[in-house]
Amino acid sequence: QVHLVESGGGLVQAGGSLRLSCAAPRLITSTFIGFTWGWYRQIPEKERDLVAVISASGSTNYADSVKGRFTISKDNSRKRVYLQMNNLKPEDTGVYYCAADRGGTRSWGQGTQVTVPS
């Protein structure tokens, strides 16, 4: 299991922005680079849904609901993954989890709450 630490959540009005950060402080850089990283959102009584993913090579993919508004990126030297969220909407509300995938194993962070009041 990979130790992941998320930060950056909060309460923001509709139309606002937040940047989530996921740190993997115990990984060495060469190992960090080999992972696929994702951000997932979960609301009460629902499954965790994929929001955005970035592969080891840097290719990205997004849920249709966030395309054009969210951007996933990573900083290999800092061993961090980011989710820039712009033009936030009430339906973006949820707990956001960082995930690290490699070799069929997934590790999760503790989650960070994002709330966009309607």
Side-chain angles (χ1 to χ4, degrees):
Q1 289 292 310
V2 178
H3 177 62
L4 301 174
V5 181
E6 295 133 332
S7 60
L11 187 149
V12 61
Q13 297 302 313
S17 297
L18 282 174
R19 188 176 80 154
L20 305 184
S21 176
C22 174
R26 299 176 185 172
L27 287 180
I28 61 174
T29 300
S30 58
T31 303
F32 177 92
I33 290 171
F35 279 84
T36 293
W37 299 91
W39 285 98
Y40 291 73
R41 177 175 61 229
Q42 188 170 26
I43 59 176
E45 300 181 2
K46 296 290 186 179
E47 293 186 356
R48 214 167 280 189
D49 291 328
L50 179 66
V51 174
V53 62
I54 185 166
S55 73
S57 65
S59 61
T60 59
N61 201 12
Y62 298 91
D64 288 342
S65 61
V66 307
K67 284 180 181 177
R69 300 187 298 123
F70 290 13
T71 303
I72 188 171
S73 62
K74 60 177 179 170
D75 185 332
N76 292 330
S77 63
R78 298 189 66 190
K79 298 177 290 182
R80 287 180 177 266
V81 183
Y82 302 99
L83 184 68
Q84 178 66 43
M85 306 186 292
N86 298 329
N87 190 21
L88 281 159
K89 303 177 180 181
E91 52 263 41
D92 296 321
T93 294
V95 179
Y96 283 71
Y97 294 90
C98 176
D101 291 324
R102 187 179 185 186
T105 299
R106 174 171 293 169
S107 299
W108 294 100
Q110 82 283 0
T112 185
Q113 176 72 43
V114 172
T115 302
V116 187
S118 57

